[in-house]
Amino acid sequence: MRALVTGGAGFIGSHIAERLVRTGHAVRVLDDLSAGKRANLAAVAGDVELVVADVRDAARVDELARDCDVIFHEAAIVSVPYSVEHPIQTNGVNVIGTLNVLEAARKQGVRRVVFACSAAVYGEDPAQPKTESMLPSPVSPYGVEKLASEHYLAAWSRLFGLETVSLRYFNVFGPRQDPSSPYSGVISIFVSRFLAGQPVTIFGDGEQYRDFVYVDNVVDANLAAATRDGISGRAFNVGCGRRTTLNQLVAILGHITGRAVLPRHEAPRAGDIRESLADISRARRELAYEPRIDVDEGLARLVEDVRRG
Ligand code: UD2
């Protein structure tokens, strides 16, 4: 197939682009390089058409969707706190960007759009694990934007027969996730600190948990979402279905790196949810999704990758 990956020079998008190339597909990437990097596509640079463009530019998106069978829509501003500070800007990228993708797909006869949604749509509802049938109640602009996008997908599926699939990512981790911002994923921060022999900070008592999912599993889910029949208009949780507390994370990293790091504890971060766990039975049933790489194995691979540089 011929695929367009928006945000394809970013963390998750570049892994999707790389897998597509390695499995024989033609890949075009749209990325404004605001968070993405050319270097993220270095391994497949000769086989990917990288177009530096903004997903808010409807005409450009339309042009790039031409002749594509599938669009993987990963382009977004991904920081929850940033969305609180700059909601007009994040709405522009995260919602108008999605509308541009849907309109381009419809006009250009693209068969299917697979969308990078988020567990942020669930908000603070304490019920665990999260199932897709729960009523979403996002508490951040970012979560609202992801949910609005998901509704647009489902509407475009009903209105125009465009095939759409929304994947609600939980806490994705892996190589190329940028550890440099204070809002970076906790695993990217902890791994770089462990390997540098620096202390880590846990916000709260460390008993809060997340459903951490290695990026290769997320790529598997995307490929299944692009190809399975009978799932148009649907949303799926993408996690491992396993909870890991931050204290457990520190222990696992200590084991893998052979370094004992005593975490510092600070007050819980404002606005943090305490727990997040995915029920992945719908993805198992309808996408034949199975997280092949568990958290321990994913962490080992990430440590190896960061060590190699
Ligand atoms: C994740 C997503 C976010 C959104 C949200 C929805 C990432 C990076 N972010 O946010 O985009 O989808 O889920 O619920 O996947 N922590 C520390 N020390 C640190 C950094 C973090 O203790 O140095 C804690 C933090 O307070 C939180 C946990 O680690 O309790 C996870 O934080 P995170 O920023 O990795 O991810 P999260 O779940 O807030």
Side-chain angles (χ1 to χ4, degrees), residues 178-225:
D178 184 3
S180 63
S181 130
Y183 306 118
S184 300
V186 64
I187 288 182
S188 67
I189 297 172
F190 279 15
V191 166
S192 69
R193 291 186 163 264
F194 261 79
L195 292 181
Q198 293 169 341
V200 299
T201 301
I202 289 181
F203 301 121
D205 63 4
E207 285 306 297
Q208 69 263 48
Y209 64 76
R210 294 292 185 272
D211 190 334
F212 295 108
V213 55
Y214 190 65
V215 66
D216 282 21
N217 299 324
V218 175
V219 175
D220 289 346
N222 271 275
L223 290 204

Short mmCIF file of all heavy atoms in Angstrom, two decimals, residues 178-225:
data_model
loop_
_atom_site.label_atom_id
_atom_site.label_comp_id
_atom_site.label_asym_id
_atom_site.label_seq_id
_atom_site.Cartn_x
_atom_site.Cartn_y
_atom_site.Cartn_z
N ASP A 178 11.69 11.83 23.25
CA ASP A 178 12.60 12.89 23.71
C ASP A 178 12.53 13.04 25.23
O ASP A 178 11.46 13.32 25.77
CB ASP A 178 12.18 14.19 23.01
CG ASP A 178 13.11 15.34 23.34
OD1 ASP A 178 14.10 15.11 24.05
OD2 ASP A 178 12.83 16.46 22.88
N PRO A 179 13.65 12.85 25.94
CA PRO A 179 13.60 12.97 27.40
C PRO A 179 13.84 14.39 27.90
O PRO A 179 13.87 14.63 29.10
CB PRO A 179 14.77 12.07 27.83
CG PRO A 179 15.76 12.15 26.72
CD PRO A 179 14.98 12.46 25.46
N SER A 180 14.00 15.36 26.99
CA SER A 180 14.58 16.64 27.42
C SER A 180 13.61 17.64 28.03
O SER A 180 14.02 18.60 28.63
CB SER A 180 15.30 17.29 26.24
OG SER A 180 14.37 17.57 25.24
N SER A 181 12.31 17.42 27.87
CA SER A 181 11.38 18.40 28.45
C SER A 181 10.87 17.88 29.79
O SER A 181 10.80 16.68 30.02
CB SER A 181 10.21 18.61 27.47
OG SER A 181 8.98 18.49 28.12
N PRO A 182 10.49 18.78 30.68
CA PRO A 182 9.94 18.32 31.96
C PRO A 182 8.64 17.55 31.77
O PRO A 182 8.19 16.84 32.68
CB PRO A 182 9.71 19.61 32.75
CG PRO A 182 9.94 20.74 31.83
CD PRO A 182 10.63 20.24 30.62
N TYR A 183 8.02 17.67 30.62
CA TYR A 183 6.76 16.97 30.37
C TYR A 183 6.96 15.70 29.55
O TYR A 183 6.00 15.10 29.08
CB TYR A 183 5.76 17.90 29.67
CG TYR A 183 5.57 19.17 30.44
CD1 TYR A 183 5.90 20.40 29.90
CD2 TYR A 183 5.08 19.13 31.74
CE1 TYR A 183 5.74 21.56 30.62
CE2 TYR A 183 4.92 20.29 32.48
CZ TYR A 183 5.26 21.50 31.91
OH TYR A 183 5.10 22.65 32.64
N SER A 184 8.21 15.31 29.36
CA SER A 184 8.48 14.08 28.62
C SER A 184 7.96 12.89 29.39
O SER A 184 7.75 12.97 30.61
CB SER A 184 9.99 13.91 28.42
OG SER A 184 10.52 14.98 27.70
N GLY A 185 7.76 11.79 28.70
CA GLY A 185 7.29 10.58 29.34
C GLY A 185 8.26 10.16 30.45
O GLY A 185 9.48 10.28 30.30
N VAL A 186 7.69 9.67 31.54
CA VAL A 186 8.52 9.36 32.71
C VAL A 186 9.61 8.34 32.39
O VAL A 186 10.73 8.43 32.89
CB VAL A 186 7.62 8.91 33.89
CG1 VAL A 186 6.88 7.60 33.58
CG2 VAL A 186 8.41 8.77 35.16
N ILE A 187 9.31 7.39 31.51
CA ILE A 187 10.32 6.36 31.21
C ILE A 187 11.50 6.97 30.47
O ILE A 187 12.66 6.67 30.79
CB ILE A 187 9.69 5.19 30.42
CG1 ILE A 187 8.77 4.39 31.37
CG2 ILE A 187 10.76 4.31 29.79
CD1 ILE A 187 8.11 3.18 30.75
N SER A 188 11.24 7.85 29.51
CA SER A 188 12.37 8.46 28.78
C SER A 188 13.25 9.25 29.75
O SER A 188 14.48 9.21 29.65
CB SER A 188 11.87 9.32 27.63
OG SER A 188 11.17 10.46 28.12
N ILE A 189 12.63 9.94 30.69
CA ILE A 189 13.41 10.71 31.67
C ILE A 189 14.21 9.77 32.58
O ILE A 189 15.42 9.95 32.77
CB ILE A 189 12.46 11.59 32.54
CG1 ILE A 189 11.75 12.62 31.67
CG2 ILE A 189 13.25 12.28 33.66
CD1 ILE A 189 10.66 13.40 32.40
N PHE A 190 13.53 8.76 33.11
CA PHE A 190 14.20 7.86 34.07
C PHE A 190 15.37 7.11 33.41
O PHE A 190 16.44 6.98 34.00
CB PHE A 190 13.20 6.88 34.68
CG PHE A 190 12.36 7.45 35.81
CD1 PHE A 190 12.31 8.82 36.04
CD2 PHE A 190 11.65 6.61 36.65
CE1 PHE A 190 11.53 9.36 37.07
CE2 PHE A 190 10.88 7.13 37.69
CZ PHE A 190 10.82 8.50 37.91
N VAL A 191 15.17 6.62 32.19
CA VAL A 191 16.24 5.85 31.54
C VAL A 191 17.46 6.73 31.32
O VAL A 191 18.60 6.33 31.61
CB VAL A 191 15.75 5.23 30.21
CG1 VAL A 191 16.92 4.72 29.37
CG2 VAL A 191 14.77 4.09 30.49
N SER A 192 17.25 7.94 30.83
CA SER A 192 18.43 8.78 30.57
C SER A 192 19.13 9.12 31.88
O SER A 192 20.35 9.20 31.94
CB SER A 192 18.08 10.01 29.74
OG SER A 192 17.29 10.88 30.49
N ARG A 193 18.36 9.31 32.95
CA ARG A 193 18.98 9.64 34.24
C ARG A 193 19.71 8.42 34.85
O ARG A 193 20.81 8.56 35.37
CB ARG A 193 17.93 10.16 35.21
CG ARG A 193 17.46 11.52 34.76
CD ARG A 193 16.52 12.18 35.75
NE ARG A 193 16.46 13.60 35.43
CZ ARG A 193 17.20 14.52 36.02
NH1 ARG A 193 18.01 14.19 36.99
NH2 ARG A 193 17.11 15.76 35.64
N PHE A 194 19.09 7.27 34.76
CA PHE A 194 19.76 6.06 35.28
C PHE A 194 21.11 5.88 34.59
O PHE A 194 22.12 5.62 35.23
CB PHE A 194 18.89 4.82 35.02
CG PHE A 194 18.08 4.38 36.20
CD1 PHE A 194 16.91 5.03 36.55
CD2 PHE A 194 18.49 3.31 37.00
CE1 PHE A 194 16.15 4.62 37.64
CE2 PHE A 194 17.75 2.90 38.10
CZ PHE A 194 16.56 3.56 38.41
N LEU A 195 21.10 6.03 33.26
CA LEU A 195 22.34 5.76 32.52
C LEU A 195 23.38 6.85 32.75
O LEU A 195 24.57 6.61 32.61
CB LEU A 195 22.04 5.58 31.03
CG LEU A 195 21.23 4.31 30.73
CD1 LEU A 195 20.99 4.17 29.23
CD2 LEU A 195 21.92 3.06 31.27
N ALA A 196 22.92 8.05 33.12
CA ALA A 196 23.87 9.12 33.41
C ALA A 196 24.27 9.12 34.89
O ALA A 196 25.03 9.98 35.32
CB ALA A 196 23.26 10.47 33.03
N GLY A 197 23.71 8.17 35.64
CA GLY A 197 24.02 8.10 37.07
C GLY A 197 23.44 9.26 37.86
O GLY A 197 23.96 9.62 38.92
N GLN A 198 22.37 9.83 37.33
CA GLN A 198 21.74 10.97 38.02
C GLN A 198 20.51 10.51 38.79
O GLN A 198 19.90 9.50 38.44
CB GLN A 198 21.32 12.03 36.99
CG GLN A 198 22.49 12.69 36.29
CD GLN A 198 22.03 13.51 35.10
OE1 GLN A 198 20.93 13.34 34.59
NE2 GLN A 198 22.90 14.38 34.64
N PRO A 199 20.11 11.28 39.80
CA PRO A 199 18.94 10.88 40.58
C PRO A 199 17.63 11.07 39.79
O PRO A 199 17.59 11.87 38.85
CB PRO A 199 18.96 11.85 41.77
CG PRO A 199 19.75 13.01 41.32
CD PRO A 199 20.74 12.52 40.31
N VAL A 200 16.61 10.32 40.16
CA VAL A 200 15.29 10.52 39.55
C VAL A 200 14.34 11.07 40.61
O VAL A 200 14.54 10.86 41.81
CB VAL A 200 14.71 9.22 38.96
CG1 VAL A 200 15.61 8.68 37.87
CG2 VAL A 200 14.46 8.17 40.03
N THR A 201 13.33 11.78 40.12
CA THR A 201 12.33 12.34 41.03
C THR A 201 11.00 11.65 40.79
O THR A 201 10.56 11.55 39.64
CB THR A 201 12.17 13.86 40.77
OG1 THR A 201 13.44 14.47 40.96
CG2 THR A 201 11.15 14.47 41.72
N ILE A 202 10.40 11.19 41.87
CA ILE A 202 9.05 10.64 41.78
C ILE A 202 8.09 11.66 42.38
O ILE A 202 8.29 12.10 43.52
CB ILE A 202 8.93 9.29 42.53
CG1 ILE A 202 9.69 8.20 41.77
CG2 ILE A 202 7.47 8.91 42.71
CD1 ILE A 202 9.61 6.83 42.43
N PHE A 203 7.10 12.05 41.61
CA PHE A 203 6.09 12.98 42.12
C PHE A 203 5.03 12.18 42.85
O PHE A 203 4.24 11.46 42.23
CB PHE A 203 5.48 13.79 40.97
CG PHE A 203 6.50 14.58 40.21
CD1 PHE A 203 6.69 14.40 38.84
CD2 PHE A 203 7.31 15.51 40.87
CE1 PHE A 203 7.64 15.12 38.15
CE2 PHE A 203 8.26 16.24 40.18
CZ PHE A 203 8.44 16.04 38.82
N GLY A 204 5.03 12.27 44.18
CA GLY A 204 4.08 11.49 44.98
C GLY A 204 4.79 10.29 45.59
O GLY A 204 6.02 10.22 45.63
N ASP A 205 3.99 9.30 46.05
CA ASP A 205 4.57 8.17 46.78
C ASP A 205 5.09 7.06 45.86
O ASP A 205 5.67 6.08 46.32
CB ASP A 205 3.55 7.61 47.78
CG ASP A 205 2.30 7.05 47.11
OD1 ASP A 205 2.25 7.02 45.84
OD2 ASP A 205 1.36 6.65 47.82
N GLY A 206 4.85 7.20 44.56
CA GLY A 206 5.36 6.20 43.62
C GLY A 206 4.45 4.99 43.46
O GLY A 206 4.74 4.09 42.68
N GLU A 207 3.34 5.00 44.18
CA GLU A 207 2.40 3.87 44.05
C GLU A 207 1.36 4.13 42.96
O GLU A 207 0.51 3.29 42.69
CB GLU A 207 1.73 3.57 45.40
CG GLU A 207 2.64 2.85 46.38
CD GLU A 207 3.26 1.57 45.79
OE1 GLU A 207 2.50 0.64 45.47
OE2 GLU A 207 4.50 1.52 45.64
N GLN A 208 1.40 5.33 42.34
CA GLN A 208 0.53 5.55 41.18
C GLN A 208 0.99 4.62 40.06
O GLN A 208 2.17 4.31 39.97
CB GLN A 208 0.56 7.02 40.73
CG GLN A 208 1.85 7.50 40.11
CD GLN A 208 2.74 8.22 41.11
OE1 GLN A 208 2.97 7.71 42.20
NE2 GLN A 208 3.29 9.37 40.74
N TYR A 209 0.04 4.18 39.24
CA TYR A 209 0.45 3.25 38.17
C TYR A 209 -0.04 3.71 36.80
O TYR A 209 -0.99 4.49 36.67
CB TYR A 209 0.01 1.82 38.47
CG TYR A 209 -1.48 1.57 38.54
CD1 TYR A 209 -2.27 1.50 37.40
CD2 TYR A 209 -2.11 1.37 39.78
CE1 TYR A 209 -3.63 1.24 37.47
CE2 TYR A 209 -3.47 1.12 39.86
CZ TYR A 209 -4.23 1.06 38.69
OH TYR A 209 -5.57 0.83 38.77
N ARG A 210 0.63 3.17 35.77
CA ARG A 210 0.29 3.43 34.39
C ARG A 210 0.34 2.11 33.61
O ARG A 210 0.95 1.14 34.05
CB ARG A 210 1.30 4.39 33.74
CG ARG A 210 1.30 5.81 34.31
CD ARG A 210 0.03 6.56 33.98
NE ARG A 210 0.04 7.95 34.40
CZ ARG A 210 -0.34 8.36 35.61
NH1 ARG A 210 -0.74 7.49 36.53
NH2 ARG A 210 -0.33 9.66 35.90
N ASP A 211 -0.29 2.13 32.45
CA ASP A 211 -0.20 0.99 31.53
C ASP A 211 0.82 1.39 30.46
O ASP A 211 0.48 2.03 29.47
CB ASP A 211 -1.58 0.73 30.92
CG ASP A 211 -1.64 -0.57 30.14
OD1 ASP A 211 -0.58 -1.02 29.65
OD2 ASP A 211 -2.74 -1.13 30.02
N PHE A 212 2.08 1.06 30.72
CA PHE A 212 3.16 1.43 29.80
C PHE A 212 3.18 0.45 28.63
O PHE A 212 3.09 -0.77 28.83
CB PHE A 212 4.50 1.42 30.52
CG PHE A 212 4.62 2.46 31.60
CD1 PHE A 212 4.59 2.11 32.94
CD2 PHE A 212 4.74 3.82 31.29
CE1 PHE A 212 4.70 3.06 33.95
CE2 PHE A 212 4.85 4.79 32.28
CZ PHE A 212 4.82 4.41 33.62
N VAL A 213 3.32 0.98 27.43
CA VAL A 213 3.28 0.10 26.25
C VAL A 213 4.44 0.46 25.32
O VAL A 213 4.63 1.62 24.94
CB VAL A 213 1.90 0.15 25.55
CG1 VAL A 213 1.48 1.57 25.18
CG2 VAL A 213 1.87 -0.76 24.32
N TYR A 214 5.22 -0.57 24.99
CA TYR A 214 6.39 -0.38 24.12
C TYR A 214 5.94 -0.03 22.70
O TYR A 214 4.96 -0.59 22.19
CB TYR A 214 7.24 -1.65 24.12
CG TYR A 214 8.58 -1.48 23.44
CD1 TYR A 214 9.54 -0.63 23.96
CD2 TYR A 214 8.88 -2.15 22.26
CE1 TYR A 214 10.77 -0.45 23.35
CE2 TYR A 214 10.11 -2.00 21.64
CZ TYR A 214 11.05 -1.14 22.19
OH TYR A 214 12.26 -0.97 21.58
N VAL A 215 6.68 0.86 22.07
CA VAL A 215 6.23 1.45 20.80
C VAL A 215 6.02 0.40 19.70
O VAL A 215 5.12 0.56 18.86
CB VAL A 215 7.21 2.57 20.36
CG1 VAL A 215 8.58 2.01 20.04
CG2 VAL A 215 6.64 3.40 19.23
N ASP A 216 6.77 -0.70 19.70
CA ASP A 216 6.57 -1.71 18.66
C ASP A 216 5.16 -2.31 18.71
O ASP A 216 4.58 -2.67 17.68
CB ASP A 216 7.59 -2.85 18.79
CG ASP A 216 8.95 -2.46 18.25
OD1 ASP A 216 9.23 -1.25 18.15
OD2 ASP A 216 9.74 -3.37 17.93
N ASN A 217 4.63 -2.44 19.93
CA ASN A 217 3.26 -2.95 20.06
C ASN A 217 2.27 -1.96 19.44
O ASN A 217 1.28 -2.36 18.82
CB ASN A 217 2.90 -3.16 21.53
CG ASN A 217 3.80 -4.18 22.21
OD1 ASN A 217 4.22 -5.16 21.60
ND2 ASN A 217 4.11 -3.94 23.47
N VAL A 218 2.55 -0.68 19.62
CA VAL A 218 1.69 0.36 19.07
C VAL A 218 1.73 0.32 17.53
O VAL A 218 0.72 0.51 16.86
CB VAL A 218 2.11 1.74 19.62
CG1 VAL A 218 1.32 2.86 18.98
CG2 VAL A 218 1.94 1.77 21.13
N VAL A 219 2.90 0.04 17.00
CA VAL A 219 3.02 -0.11 15.54
C VAL A 219 2.19 -1.32 15.07
O VAL A 219 1.46 -1.23 14.08
CB VAL A 219 4.50 -0.25 15.11
CG1 VAL A 219 4.59 -0.53 13.61
CG2 VAL A 219 5.28 1.00 15.46
N ASP A 220 2.28 -2.42 15.81
CA ASP A 220 1.45 -3.60 15.47
C ASP A 220 -0.02 -3.22 15.40
O ASP A 220 -0.74 -3.61 14.48
CB ASP A 220 1.60 -4.70 16.54
CG ASP A 220 2.96 -5.39 16.52
OD1 ASP A 220 3.71 -5.21 15.55
OD2 ASP A 220 3.25 -6.10 17.51
N ALA A 221 -0.47 -2.48 16.41
CA ALA A 221 -1.88 -2.09 16.47
C ALA A 221 -2.25 -1.22 15.26
O ALA A 221 -3.32 -1.36 14.67
CB ALA A 221 -2.18 -1.34 17.77
N ASN A 222 -1.33 -0.33 14.88
CA ASN A 222 -1.59 0.54 13.73
C ASN A 222 -1.73 -0.27 12.44
O ASN A 222 -2.62 -0.01 11.63
CB ASN A 222 -0.48 1.58 13.58
CG ASN A 222 -0.77 2.84 14.37
OD1 ASN A 222 -1.48 3.73 13.89
ND2 ASN A 222 -0.27 2.89 15.59
N LEU A 223 -0.84 -1.24 12.25
CA LEU A 223 -0.90 -2.02 11.01
C LEU A 223 -2.18 -2.85 10.96
O LEU A 223 -2.83 -2.97 9.92
CB LEU A 223 0.33 -2.92 10.86
CG LEU A 223 1.63 -2.17 10.56
CD1 LEU A 223 2.65 -3.06 9.87
CD2 LEU A 223 1.41 -0.93 9.71
N ALA A 224 -2.57 -3.40 12.10
CA ALA A 224 -3.83 -4.15 12.16
C ALA A 224 -5.01 -3.22 11.88
O ALA A 224 -5.93 -3.56 11.13
CB ALA A 224 -3.98 -4.83 13.52
N ALA A 225 -4.96 -2.02 12.46
CA ALA A 225 -6.05 -1.06 12.29
C ALA A 225 -6.17 -0.62 10.82
O ALA A 225 -7.24 -0.24 10.37
CB ALA A 225 -5.84 0.15 13.19
#
